[in-house]
Amino acid sequence: MVINYSELNDTKKYKLMSHTIIPRPIAWIVTQQNGIVNIAPFSYFAPLSSNPPLVVVSIGLKDDDTPKDTRINILETKKATICFAKLEYLEKLILSSNELPKDVSEAKEFDINTVIITESYPPIIENSQTALFCELHSFIDIQSETLPIILEIKSQYIQKELCDEKLNIKVDNIYRIGKGFGKIELIEL
Ligand SMILES: Cc1cc2nc3c(=O)[nH]c(=O)nc-3n(C[C@H](O)[C@H](O)[C@H](O)COP(=O)(O)O)c2cc1C
């Protein structure tokens, strides 16, 4: 059976892709503008290159057709902190995907504590095992409501006990399959 994407509506294309290209990591992105800490999850998110260290995240529009707050903040401040959630944070992660007015902070609204690691970047979400401090690299105009934004990783926070001197790290981020979620299980070879 061959499914022709040109015959599918957006929902069906999303359904197929999100159950096929699996699992999808979830970037739990913190941005900050005018003192307001914005938090939201994004799973159209992938590594692009290690040299330079780039990731891409595709961010769409709100229900009123204006760009999502994270997209505005990254384009205006050129900075983002990407956190990764453990299973115990799933509820907060989902809460933070609620659409709020731009001047309302998900951190305050949903009681998500944040911690400043470096003054140069937005804070991390408390208890994050690891986080990427990123700067805007570029974006791709794909003639769509969605804007793929390329971010360059400038530094990484990692909890000390999860990283050895050879930079072997072990984190247990949750991921997305379709609209569901999963937890990493490593196959030891
Ligand atoms: C697990 C998960 C993954 C998501 N991935 C994306 C995504 O890749 N792109 C997107 O535009 N929205 C995505 N969303 C929806 C956004 O999180 C949601 O629109 C949020 O309100 C955006 O917040 P902001 O306006 O503060 O940036 C996702 C939601 C969830 C729960």
Side-chain angles (χ1 to χ4, degrees):
M1 167 177 178
V2 174
I3 305 164
N4 188 345
Y5 272 55
S6 66
E7 291 164 7
L8 301 177
N9 64 24
D10 287 356
T11 310
K12 285 186 175 145
K13 279 183 269 196
Y14 173 80
K15 191 172 178 180
L16 272 183
M17 287 177 69
S18 66
H19 284 89
T20 305
I21 306 163
I22 55 170
R24 298 200 311 286
I26 304 169
W28 202 8
I29 301 186
V30 186
T31 52
Q32 192 168 14
Q33 203 181 24
N34 304 325
I36 297 165
V37 173
N38 193 93
I39 303 175
F42 297 91
S43 57
Y44 268 64
F45 165 64
L48 264 191
S49 150
S50 299
N51 184 21
L54 302 178
V55 296
V56 62
V57 55
S58 291
I59 308 183
L61 303 177
K62 291 187 175 191
D63 290 342
D64 66 1
D65 284 342
T66 60
K68 295 186 182 182
D69 299 340
T70 304
R71 171 164 151 181
I72 296 177
N73 286 353
I74 294 175
L75 295 180
E76 290 184 0
T77 68
K78 323 256 184 266
K79 300 216 171 166
T81 296
I82 302 179
C83 297
F84 298 85
K86 288 191 289 185
L87 189 56
E88 64 204 74
Y89 274 75
L90 179 57
E91 200 187 321
K92 296 263 183 195
L93 179 133
I94 293 172
L95 276 174
S96 72
S97 73
N98 278 296
E99 196 173 299
L100 297 180
K102 189 159 185 321
D103 58 355
V104 179
S105 166
E106 288 80 8
K108 288 219 171 103
E109 192 71 14
F110 304 120
D111 225 1
I112 304 173
N113 293 333
T114 58
V115 181
I116 296 170
I117 301 293
T118 159
E119 293 288 346
S120 316
Y121 288 92
I124 67 165
I125 292 160
E126 189 179 55
N127 292 327
S128 291
Q129 294 182 313
T130 190
L132 308 173
F133 299 112
C134 301
E135 278 183 25
L136 175 66
H137 177 278
S138 50
F139 54 84
I140 309 166
D141 180 1
I142 56 169
Q143 306 288 311
S144 158
E145 291 181 351
T146 296
L147 185 70
I149 297 177
I150 298 175
L151 294 164
E152 179 164 356
I153 304 167
K154 292 294 185 180
S155 56
Q156 176 166 359
Y157 163 81
I158 176 104
Q159 287 177 352
K160 220 169 161 187
E161 61 277 16
L162 300 178
C163 182
D164 69 17
E165 65 286 351
K166 289 184 178 156
L167 296 184
N168 295 309
I169 77 163
K170 212 172 176 186
V171 288
D172 49 8
N173 310 334
I174 50 171
Y175 58 73
R176 204 159 208 215
I177 291 181
K179 289 199 163 178
F181 296 89
K183 190 174 175 298
I184 289 175
E185 207 176 302
L186 264 189
I187 301 165
E188 302 282 356
L189 293 175

